[in-house]
Amino acid sequence: MNEKIYKTMKSVGGWNIVFGVVLIVLGVTVGVMQIIQGGRLLTGKKEITF
């Protein structure tokens, strides 16, 4: 009985680590994309007129 619980906990813990790594990579990717887009806006602000 206990062995089955430990195997389940082990697999859940492994998936939590994988999910965490994926979220970190996704967050860094989105952050870099936001910085690039912000730079493009700053370089093009001379051409914006209201």
Side-chain angles (χ1 to χ4, degrees):
M1 179 72 176
N2 287 338
E3 189 174 325
K4 185 177 179 181
I5 294 171
Y6 286 126
K7 286 182 181 181
T8 302
M9 290 173 61
K10 179 180 161 185
S11 66
V12 169
W15 279 112
N16 283 339
I17 291 172
V18 168
F19 188 63
V21 170
V22 168
L23 284 179
I24 289 171
V25 170
L26 183 65
V28 169
T29 303
V30 169
V32 169
M33 289 171 56
Q34 291 292 323
I35 291 171
I36 291 171
Q37 292 299 320
R40 287 183 182 172
L41 283 173
L42 286 175
T43 57
K45 77 177 184 179
K46 292 179 275 186
E47 300 169 9
I48 298 175
T49 57
F50 290 100

